């Protein structure tokens, strides 16, 4: 390290020696914080004992700063670009494989050359603030080299002021975006805070320039912070509105970029403030940083220095992660995922029966779906006899599934396995405590009990009709054509496909569960899209369709599409997923296929007829256990995935699983009959127990 310091030329603007010096500080392992602390302290002691090297290093760093532009470091690093989500995603993926070319013009490129290891921010944060500030103080107190300017503070100040102006213009432009104005019409009713903050920033910077010229101090920026607070209020209002009116990836991206720009603007204003009245940004706890950076019996560290250090660490971390795809998704998908699951939650309330009358309604609804699935199973068998090319056959299977499931939706019937993606979101909505500490376990146990028994009744309703429907279809086909719907070999193949031990039936059932989960997300996405794009109004504006149907019918159609677009599209894509999975596995040579409980039960009934009712009791029991096991896996996988996403979307951490199971056990022991078939009549609604369907 001392040899590197002795080679430093204070007049050089080449970055190679700085790269070597940082490599001496970098620990061999990413989490070796103690090693990094020791190396930083060693460098500080070397500089204290070698004043000439300290002076050379100070002027060398100043030369590097003077030769490079600073503003882009503060305006771009850690802040989303204006390119949009998908363009930004494409750039990050591309730059992971082939990074952009670096130059000697921008300071951000210099950081890219020096801190090129993605884990550098870990060891930099592991070094105590006191050690970093002591190192910087040694450099600041070092004597300047004769003939070499060492005015690093003035150089960086100009870059920060330029960044403040740039960020203010960016906040103004983003705040006047049409999609943001459309989401909050009140922006147009009053003077836009996004526009007013830009006026305030320009006035503040003009006063700052006069101060640098020796004409007094500028006015404090407190009024400017009021404008920024109003900008934050608009952003919060738009986010709240999006939960009820829907959102888009583009709007979410804009809100994130706007929030990041406002936050960075606050931090830079705090650093250049000369009045001492400006508070720190809400996202920074500078008092804690300053207290930790001040060792016992030492002079307290100023909040401005603590703010500069905190911003530097933030910039380094953001720079290390600027090509990370995970951070981009984490910043942008949360609101969209919340809206998707929120719409699924509202739909899920219709899948929860409160009492025995509603359970009977659910049974009848699911029984109707079983009747349709019986015919869908027939059509699938007939389509397989066409012996078409694999892709065309997958298309035929997909359309059979898709149109069948959409018909179930149109007739207000219920497919039991479609429930978990909706009810899981409803359960997550009941977990209102983000830290999972203040949750009413009795209420949650009651809700889960309702979901459980409703789900069981729905499965029984599906099976109660799909098995006799498929059985009667197979008998009718034999009577009408003189031969069975499937051959004995095909019948044995159908039974083998649902064997829980001798085949991959349960694994394929898990794949079907994933498809059910994806269908639930798709349904919530299109429900959100229908709200955000005002689908009913758009359909109602179709003049040609209005002349054909008339205004009243068109209005009913428009409202139906807006209210049911998610259900229709979810069922359509679910059919495509089921119809193409087996063909995809065939083309890729992978064990990919699906097993669905209702279709497996229908195939069992068909095979039973084809084998002339000559099944051994062992084969019959194995088959029944098989399709019941398939149903259980369908439900568990889809429910677990949907609940996980719903909890993540709401940022909820639930840690009371054992207590919740005990509460469910007590409910079962107290009233085992009601546990499975529900009370005769639902209890009256109270403020603590809202009625089904209420918010």
């Amino acid at each position: 390290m001392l040899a590197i310091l002795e080679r430093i030329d204070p007049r050089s603007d080449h970055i190679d020696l700085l790269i070597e010096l940082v490599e001496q500080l970098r620990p061999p392992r990413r989490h070796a914080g103690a090693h990094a602390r020791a190396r930083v302290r060693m460098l500080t002691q070397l500089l204290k004992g070698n004043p000439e090297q300290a002076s050379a290093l100070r002027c060398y760093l100043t030369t590097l700063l003077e030769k490079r532009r600073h503003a882009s470091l503060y305006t771009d690093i850690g802040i989303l670009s204006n390119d949009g989500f998908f363009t930004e995603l494409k750039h990050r993926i591309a730059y992971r494989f082939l990074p952009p070319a670096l130059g000697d013009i921008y300071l951000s490129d210099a950081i890219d050359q020096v801190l090129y290891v993605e884990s550098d921010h870990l060891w930099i944060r592991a070094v105590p603030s006191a050690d970093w500030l002591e190192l910087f103080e040694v450099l600041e107190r070092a004597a300047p080299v004769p003939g070499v300017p060492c005015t690093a503070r003035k150089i960086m100040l100009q870059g920060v002021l330029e960044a403040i102006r740039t960020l203010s213009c960016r906040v103004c432009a983003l705040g006047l975006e049409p999609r943001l104005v459309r989401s909050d019409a009140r922006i147009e009713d009053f003077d836009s805070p996004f526009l007013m903050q830009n006026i305030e920033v320009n006035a503040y910077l003009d006063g700052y320039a006069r101060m640098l010229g020796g004409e007094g101090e500028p006015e404090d920026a407190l009024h400017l912070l009021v404008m920024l607070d109003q900008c934050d209020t608009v952003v919060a209002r738009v986010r709240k509105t999006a939960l009820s009116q829907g959102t888009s990836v583009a709007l979410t991206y804009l809100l994130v970029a706007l929030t990041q720009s406002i936050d960075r603007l606050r931090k830079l204003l705090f650093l250049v403030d000369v009045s001492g009245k400006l508070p720190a940004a809400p996202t920074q706890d500078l008092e804690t940083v300053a207290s930790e950076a001040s060792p016992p019996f030492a002079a307290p560290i100023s909040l401005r220095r603590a703010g500069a250090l905190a911003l530097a660490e933030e910039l380094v971390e953001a720079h290390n992660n600027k090509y990370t795809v995970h951070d981009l998704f984490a910043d942008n998908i949360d609101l969209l995922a919340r809206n998707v699951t929120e719409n699924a939650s509202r739909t899920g309330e219709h899948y929860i029966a409160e009492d025995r009358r509603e359970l009977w309604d659910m049974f009848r609804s699911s029984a109707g779906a079983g009747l349709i699935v019986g015919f869908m199973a027939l059509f699938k068998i007939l389509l397989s006899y066409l012996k078409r090319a694999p892709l065309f056959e997958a298309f035929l299977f997909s359309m059979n599934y898709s149109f069948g499931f959409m018909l179930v939706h149109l007739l207000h019937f219920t497919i039991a396995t479609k429930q978990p993606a909706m009810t899981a979101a409803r359960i997550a909505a009941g977990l209102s405590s983000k830290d999972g500490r203040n949750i009413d376990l009795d209420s949650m146990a009651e809700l889960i009990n309702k979901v459980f028994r409703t789900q069981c009744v729905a499965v029984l309703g599906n099976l109660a009709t799909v098995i006799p429907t498929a059985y009667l279809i197979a008998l009718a086909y034999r009577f009408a054509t003189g031969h069975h719907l499937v051959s004995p070999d095909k019948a044995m193949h159908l039974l083998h496909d649902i064997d829980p031990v001798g085949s991959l039936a349960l694994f394929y059932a898990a794949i079907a569960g994933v498809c059910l989960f994806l269908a639930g997300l798709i349904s919530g996405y299109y429900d959100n899209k229908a709200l955000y794009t005002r689908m009913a109004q758009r359909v109602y504006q179709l003049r040609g369709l209005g002349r054909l149907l008339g205004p009243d019918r068109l209005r009913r159609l428009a409202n139906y599409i807006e209210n049911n677009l998610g259900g229709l599209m979810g069922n359509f894509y679910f059919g495509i997923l089921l119809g193409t999975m087996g063909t995809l596995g065939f083309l890729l040579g992978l064990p990919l296929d699906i097993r669905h409980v209702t279709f497996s039960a229908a195939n069992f009934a068909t095979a039973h007829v084809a084998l002339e009712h000559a099944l051994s009791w062992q084969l019959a029991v194995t088959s029944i256990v098989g399709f019941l096991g398939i149903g259980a896996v369908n439900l568990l996988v889809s429910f677990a995935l949907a609940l996980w996403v719903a909890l993540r979307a709401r940022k909820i951490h639930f840690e009371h699983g054992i207590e919740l199971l005990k509460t469910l056990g007590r409910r079962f022991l107290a009233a085992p009959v009601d546990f499975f078939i529900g009370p005769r009549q639902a209890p009256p609604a109270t403020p603590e127990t809202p009625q089904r369907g209420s918010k």
Side-chain angles (χ1 to χ4, degrees):
M1 192 179 295
L2 181 60
I4 296 174
L5 294 175
E6 292 174 348
R7 291 160 48 202
I8 288 179
D9 180 3
R11 298 172 178 82
S12 173
D13 64 346
H14 295 291
I15 204 169
D16 299 342
L17 287 177
L18 181 59
I19 295 174
E20 292 184 32
L21 184 60
V22 172
E23 286 179 347
Q24 292 296 317
L25 301 178
R26 182 180 292 116
R29 296 181 304 277
R30 58 188 302 173
H31 295 293
H35 181 276
R37 291 193 293 270
R39 301 297 287 181
V40 170
R41 291 169 181 171
M42 180 186 299
L43 175 60
T44 303
Q45 294 303 318
L46 285 175
L47 294 176
K48 286 181 177 180
N50 298 273
E52 293 182 0
Q53 278 74 32
S55 299
L57 180 58
R58 174 190 174 185
C59 293
Y60 170 62
L61 293 175
T62 303
T63 303
L64 291 177
L65 293 173
E66 186 180 16
K67 298 295 184 180
R68 288 164 173 82
R69 299 176 183 174
H70 297 210
S72 61
L73 174 64
Y74 310 117
T75 60
D76 297 344
I77 303 301
I79 299 177
L80 295 177
S81 68
N82 295 336
D83 295 331
F85 177 82
F86 293 104
T87 302
E88 179 72 14
L89 177 62
K90 181 182 68 175
H91 287 165
R92 293 196 180 198
I93 294 175
Y95 291 157
R96 295 288 292 182
F97 295 97
L98 187 62
L102 302 177
D104 297 328
I105 299 177
Y106 297 100
L107 184 60
S108 57
D109 288 349
I111 295 180
D112 211 336
Q113 293 171 292
V114 175
L115 302 174
Y116 56 86
V117 180
E118 290 187 357
S119 60
D120 276 339
H121 66 279
L122 297 177
W123 67 265
I124 288 176
R125 287 189 181 275
V127 176
S129 301
D131 293 337
W132 285 121
L133 292 174
E134 185 180 5
L135 173 60
F136 297 150
E137 187 176 359
V138 170
L139 291 174
E140 188 176 1
R141 292 180 178 179
V145 176
V148 181
C150 295
T151 55
R153 180 173 297 180
K154 184 177 180 180
I155 295 171
M156 299 189 71
L157 177 62
Q158 293 297 331
V160 172
L161 294 176
E162 182 182 349
I164 290 174
R165 193 182 300 273
T166 302
L167 284 171
S168 176
C169 293
R170 187 175 297 173
V171 168
C172 181
L174 292 175
L176 298 178
E177 276 280 327
R179 60 174 61 93
L180 187 67
V181 174
R182 189 187 68 174
S183 300
D184 187 6
R186 282 177 286 182
I187 297 177
E188 296 181 313
D189 296 337
F190 307 97
D191 291 336
S192 171
F194 301 102
L195 181 60
M196 296 306 297
Q197 64 81 26
N198 184 243
I199 296 175
E200 292 289 338
V201 164
N202 287 326
Y204 178 77
L205 294 180
D206 290 342
Y208 213 98
R210 289 192 296 270
M211 182 196 69
L212 295 178
E215 299 182 11
E217 294 186 356
E219 295 184 4
D220 62 63
L222 292 176
H223 186 62
L224 173 55
L225 291 189
V226 173
M227 293 294 101
L228 295 180
D229 288 339
Q230 293 181 8
C231 294
D232 285 334
T233 301
V234 173
V235 172
R237 195 163 60 229
V238 172
R239 284 182 175 272
K240 184 177 180 180
T241 302
L243 290 176
S244 60
Q245 297 183 2
T247 188
S248 65
V249 174
L251 177 61
T252 306
Y253 184 91
L254 186 151
L255 293 175
V256 173
L258 195 53
T259 302
Q260 291 175 342
S261 299
I262 294 173
D263 181 62
R264 182 64 54 80
L265 191 54
R266 291 177 185 274
K267 294 172 181 176
L268 296 181
L269 286 170
F270 177 77
L271 293 182
V272 301
D273 176 55
V274 295
S275 67
K277 301 178 181 178
L278 214 63
T283 54
Q284 287 182 319
D285 184 9
L286 299 186
E287 293 185 358
T288 301
V289 176
S291 61
E292 292 177 352
S294 300
F297 311 109
I301 300 298
S302 68
L303 290 181
R304 184 175 300 177
R305 287 196 174 191
L309 179 61
L311 179 60
E313 292 179 343
E314 176 187 325
L315 290 173
V316 170
E317 182 174 0
H319 191 276
N320 285 160
N321 297 327
K322 64 180 180 178
Y323 301 140
T324 304
V325 174
H326 174 270
D327 289 349
L328 180 65
F329 277 95
D331 289 337
N332 287 271
I333 301 302
D334 58 344
L335 179 61
L336 185 61
R338 173 70 182 270
N339 280 23
V340 167
T341 55
E342 191 72 21
N343 284 292
S345 170
R346 285 193 288 269
T347 305
E349 293 177 354
H350 301 290
Y351 288 103
I352 301 175
E354 298 285 342
D355 52 30
R356 295 179 187 178
R357 180 184 60 81
E358 293 186 1
L359 280 175
W360 174 244
D361 292 339
M362 176 59 68
F363 181 85
R364 288 186 298 180
S365 175
S366 57
L371 182 67
I372 294 176
V373 171
F375 284 93
M376 291 169 63
L378 166 67
F379 296 146
K380 184 177 184 295
I381 292 174
L382 295 177
L383 290 173
S384 67
Y385 291 152
L386 297 178
K387 302 296 183 182
R388 299 297 183 182
L391 290 178
F392 187 70
E393 185 177 66
F395 170 77
L396 295 176
F397 290 166
S398 298
M399 293 303 100
N400 176 50
Y401 285 129
S402 294
F403 291 130
F405 290 139
M406 291 172 73
L407 178 61
V408 169
H409 180 83
L410 288 170
L411 297 177
H412 303 289
F413 293 152
T414 302
I415 297 288
T417 51
K418 288 286 289 179
Q419 291 179 266
M422 310 299 178
T423 53
R426 174 63 184 87
I427 290 175
L431 299 173
S432 57
S433 174
K434 290 186 178 181
D435 58 4
R437 296 175 182 174
N438 302 311
I439 296 173
D440 187 349
L441 291 179
D442 288 332
S443 298
M444 283 307 305
E446 181 181 4
L447 176 60
I448 292 175
N449 185 198
K450 293 176 183 177
V451 170
F452 170 76
R453 61 178 175 242
T454 306
Q455 187 67 76
C456 291
V457 168
V459 172
L460 291 176
N462 285 162
L463 297 180
T465 52
V466 71
I467 293 176
T469 299
Y471 182 84
L472 293 175
I473 288 174
L475 287 178
Y477 190 90
R478 172 74 172 84
F479 178 78
T481 63
H483 57 84
H484 287 291
L485 180 59
V486 297
S487 65
D489 291 339
K490 176 68 172 177
M492 292 302 297
H493 180 73
L494 292 176
L495 295 178
H496 175 73
D497 284 345
I498 61 176
D499 187 342
V501 179
S503 71
L504 294 176
L506 298 183
F507 174 72
Y508 293 153
I511 296 177
V514 175
C515 295
L516 286 160
F517 156 71
L518 294 176
L521 289 184
I522 292 171
S523 179
Y525 169 78
Y526 276 99
D527 277 332
N528 169 76
K529 187 178 182 66
L531 289 173
Y532 178 69
T533 60
R534 302 175 186 175
M535 187 65 67
Q537 182 178 345
R538 294 170 62 191
V539 173
Y540 188 70
Q541 293 171 179
L542 296 175
R543 293 185 176 87
L545 191 59
R547 287 192 295 269
L548 179 64
L549 299 178
D552 293 336
R553 290 191 182 92
L554 180 60
R555 183 179 292 106
R556 290 197 297 270
L557 176 63
N559 291 332
Y560 182 84
I561 291 176
E562 181 173 290
N563 295 329
N564 293 272
L565 181 65
L568 293 172
M569 297 305 296
N571 282 293
F572 180 78
Y573 282 106
F574 179 52
I576 291 177
L577 289 171
L578 294 187
T580 58
M581 192 61 65
T583 302
L584 182 63
F586 170 75
L587 295 176
L588 297 178
L590 296 175
L592 296 178
D593 207 341
I594 59 98
R595 295 291 182 269
H596 191 273
V597 56
T598 50
F599 288 94
S600 298
N603 290 339
F604 167 74
T606 302
H608 187 59
V609 174
L611 294 175
E612 300 289 352
H613 308 90
L615 272 72
S616 64
W617 70 268
Q618 295 92 339
L619 181 57
V621 170
T622 300
S623 301
I624 293 173
V625 171
F627 68 71
L628 291 178
I630 288 170
V633 174
N634 288 159
L635 299 176
L636 288 174
V637 171
S638 59
F639 182 83
L641 291 173
L643 183 60
W644 176 75
V645 169
L647 292 175
R648 288 288 301 271
R650 290 169 172 80
K651 298 181 180 179
I652 295 172
H653 302 281
F654 183 70
E655 301 176 351
H656 300 294
I658 301 299
E659 291 83 354
L660 183 59
L661 289 176
K662 291 180 180 178
T663 305
L664 284 170
R666 287 194 295 269
R667 291 182 63 86
F668 171 75
L669 294 176
V673 176
D674 288 350
F675 188 88
F676 287 102
I677 64 175
R680 293 184 179 275
Q681 187 175 0
T686 65
E688 290 77 17
T689 58
Q691 288 182 342
R692 185 165 57 99
S694 63
K695 298 286 180 71

